[in-house]
């Protein structure tokens, strides 16, 4: 029997409220200065999701959690659970986009994302990564897409170009249009192309995109407004 995506989150939240989890969290507080200021897991998660801290300060908290998750001691699973909960809005956005891309069924995508997220957190090289949340979420989504592409190529070879496996003209056109749209956006607004596409085209909220990119909501809102203003100016030139 499959477990719904929201039920997985509820299970993680419930486990983070147990007395045993609190004991492991106390151990994290004793060994990690950035985490020492939080009385309980809920206070830490509130700060990571909303709190008044800067993106850099939140990133330092994530660095501390990743380090603890990689330690292999008794509190490492506690740190991993906290990381998954902290990243949950971004993981949920990746899940929805993956289902929209038909990478797999809801259950398949959920299982893949959780497995890849845990693996990414345990194996992240903190010496080579600047923004923890953005890197983990981007790598998960990239790997999901690449895996599906490899599977599609393999299936195409096995079926020897079976007509049923060939995308319809409409699907091919949609894929080509998506690529061309991103290319055009990059030429016009540069680094904020993905931000605009995820909000204006894919339909995700600015807060969801902020979490994924490791930005504050205020910075995301300003960059989105600046980018869309640039788009409007370009469109005006062609009228």
């Amino acid at each position: 029997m499959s477990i719904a995506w929201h039920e997985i989150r509820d299970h993680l939240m419930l486990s983070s409220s147990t007395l045993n989890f609190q004991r492991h969290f106390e151990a994290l507080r004793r060994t990690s200065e950035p985490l020492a200021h939080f009385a309980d897991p809920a206070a830490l998660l509130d700060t990571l999701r909303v709190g008044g801290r800067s993106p850099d300060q939140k990133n330092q908290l994530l660095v501390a959690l990743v380090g603890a998750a990689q330690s292999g001691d008794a509190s490492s699973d506690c740190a991993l659970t906290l990381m998954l909960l902290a990243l949950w809005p971004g993981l949920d956005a990746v899940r929805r986009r993956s289902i929209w891309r038909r990478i797999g069924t809801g259950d398949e995508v959920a299982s893949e994302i959780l497995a890849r997220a845990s693996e990414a957190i345990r194996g992240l090289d903190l010496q080579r990564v600047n923004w923890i949340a953005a890197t983990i979420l981007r790598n998960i989504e990239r790997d999901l897409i690449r895996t599906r592409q490899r599977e599609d190529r393999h299936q195409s070879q096995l079926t020897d170009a079976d007509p049923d496996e060939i995308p319809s003209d409409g699907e091919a056109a949609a894929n080509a249009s998506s690529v061309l749209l991103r290319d055009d956006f990059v030429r016009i607004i540069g680094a904020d192309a993905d931000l605009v596409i995820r909000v204006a085209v894919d339909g995700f909220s600015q807060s969801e995109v902020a979490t994924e990119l490791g930005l504050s909501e205020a910075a995301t809102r300003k960059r989105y407004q600046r980018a869309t203003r640039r788009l409007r100016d370009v469109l005006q030139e062609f009228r």
Side-chain angles (χ1 to χ4, degrees), residues 150-184:
R150 285 196 298 269
E151 291 173 351
D152 287 346
R153 286 195 297 269
H154 180 64
Q155 184 63 30
S156 178
Q157 292 170 356
L158 289 178
T159 58
D160 194 23
D162 187 323
D164 290 337
E165 298 295 329
I166 299 175
S168 67
D169 290 343
E171 291 172 334
N175 292 336
S177 295
S178 297
V179 174
L180 292 174
L181 176 65
R182 186 182 186 281
D183 290 344
D184 288 339

Side-chain angles (χ1 to χ4, degrees), residues 80-130:
L80 177 63
T81 297
L82 290 171
M83 276 297 300
L84 291 173
L85 288 170
L87 295 173
W88 199 263
L91 293 173
D92 186 51
V94 172
R95 179 188 68 91
R96 284 186 283 168
R97 283 195 294 274
S98 297
I99 293 173
W100 178 78
R101 293 186 178 110
R102 300 181 182 179
I103 286 176
T105 66
D107 290 343
E108 291 170 344
V109 168
S111 177
E112 275 290 306
I113 286 176
L114 287 175
R116 290 180 183 277
S118 299
E119 181 181 354
I121 293 166
R122 300 282 199 196
L124 195 67
D125 186 348
L126 292 174
Q127 300 300 316
R128 301 180 60 183
V129 173
N130 292 321

Side-chain angles (χ1 to χ4, degrees), residues 32 34-35 38 43-67 82-83 86-87 89 126 130-134 136 207 210-220:
S32 177
L35 304 177
F38 299 95
L44 173 61
L45 291 172
D46 285 344
T47 296
L48 287 170
R49 291 174 182 164
V50 182
R53 302 207 178 190
S54 69
D56 185 65
Q57 290 174 320
K58 291 181 180 181
N59 192 61
Q60 288 305 309
L61 294 174
L62 295 180
V63 169
L65 285 176
V66 170
L82 290 171
M83 276 297 300
L87 295 173
L126 292 174
N130 292 321
W131 292 102
I132 302 299
I136 291 175
S207 62
T211 299
E212 180 180 348
L213 298 180
L215 301 171
S216 68
E217 290 189 32
T220 300

Side-chain angles (χ1 to χ4, degrees), residues 4-78:
W5 178 250
H6 69 87
E7 291 177 337
I8 297 173
R9 179 185 179 277
D10 291 345
H11 174 74
L12 291 173
M13 287 296 296
L14 181 62
S15 69
S16 70
S17 64
T18 64
L19 183 60
N20 188 50
F21 194 94
Q22 180 66 41
R23 284 199 291 265
H24 287 307
F25 184 72
E26 288 296 330
L28 290 178
R29 293 180 64 207
R30 290 193 296 270
T31 58
S32 177
E33 193 279 332
L35 304 177
H37 308 286
F38 299 95
D40 52 48
L44 173 61
L45 291 172
D46 285 344
T47 296
L48 287 170
R49 291 174 182 164
V50 182
R53 302 207 178 190
S54 69
D56 185 65
Q57 290 174 320
K58 291 181 180 181
N59 192 61
Q60 288 305 309
L61 294 174
L62 295 180
V63 169
L65 285 176
V66 170
Q70 295 177 352
S71 66
D73 61 22
S75 60
S76 63
D77 286 343
C78 168

